[in-house]
Structures are given as structure tokens and as C-alpha cells.
Amino acid sequence: MTQQNTIIVGIGASAGGIQALKGFFSQVQDAADMAFVIVTHLSPTRESHLHEVISHFTTLPVEVIEHGASARAGIVHVMPEHVCLSISDGHFRLLQSDPKKSQRKPIDFFFRALAVDQEEK
């Protein structure tokens, strides 16, 4: 499957969304053409272990996103802590979040970037 044919599925969750993620990934059977991207509202002061938690709910490989990496089909991509996530041409961009801002909206930020990047897909 070429990267151009990959469907990028954005998933936003708050700290209380673990059960919903478990329910979702327990039902995913065939993800050969889908790349899953999990973006969460995490406290900027907390370390994330979400990638480890998600790996217990799915047989798909789970990876913490690195700057410049491609969204790849058959992978669950998890946003790392302390950044804002964007995407351009199917490649992830990690942007430094501003710790002085009291209200971060990483899910909204990523979904806007995903819509622009993937258009009708």
C-alpha cells in the first residue's frame, strides 16, 4: 500500500478516554490501509505512557510519533507528550507547545492540520 492510498484516522481523547480507546481498538480487525493517530489532552507536566497502554488493546504495532515520520498504514501512532502535533504531506510535525498558555487544544490543532493535509480523504 502506498502512502498516498493510506487513510489517516485521527482519534482524539482526554485522560478519561482509555476505555473508549480499548473498545475501539478491540474491534479493529483489518487496518491494512489505515494509519491511526491518537492525540490526547495531556497535562504538560505529566509523562505519557499511552503507547504502552494502547499496546495491550491491539495487535497492531504502536509507535510514539517522531518529527518527520510518515503516517504508515497498519500502525497506531501516538502523540508524544510536551508537543503539539501537526501533519503535512503525510509527515508528522512536532511543534513545541507554549507552557505559558493555560489552555492547550492539541486535538483541535491536529484535526485542523489533518483536514488541510488530507482534504477529501
Side-chain angles (χ1 to χ4, degrees):
M1 162 108 354
T2 66
Q3 183 178 328
Q4 291 178 336
N5 296 329
T6 299
I7 298 166
I8 301 174
V9 180
I11 302 169
S14 65
I18 298 298
Q19 282 304 112
L21 291 169
K22 179 180 181 181
F24 177 81
F25 283 108
S26 69
Q27 298 301 310
V28 173
Q29 301 299 317
D30 180 16
D33 61 347
M34 292 180 274
F36 298 96
V37 182
I38 300 175
V39 180
T40 58
H41 287 290
L42 291 175
S43 167
T45 61
R46 298 196 60 166
E47 185 177 344
S48 175
H49 297 282
L50 184 60
H51 62 286
E52 296 167 358
V53 173
I54 296 299
S55 69
H56 295 291
F57 305 151
T58 182
T59 58
L60 298 171
V62 179
E63 297 180 358
V64 176
I65 295 168
E66 294 183 12
H67 184 77
S70 299
R72 298 186 333 251
I75 305 287
V76 178
H77 304 275
V78 178
M79 180 181 99
E81 67 267 343
H82 312 299
V83 297
C84 286
L85 179 63
S86 186
I87 191 166
S88 179
D89 295 323
H91 292 84
F92 296 114
R93 304 287 179 242
L94 301 180
L95 309 168
Q96 293 302 311
S97 58
D98 185 350
K100 295 177 183 147
K101 288 187 177 180
S102 62
Q103 191 174 47
R104 297 176 46 228
K105 296 186 178 183
I107 296 171
D108 294 348
F109 185 83
F110 178 73
F111 281 0
R112 276 198 265 342
L114 182 61
V116 169
D117 188 57
Q118 296 297 298
E119 297 175 339
E120 72 278 351
K121 286 176 65 181

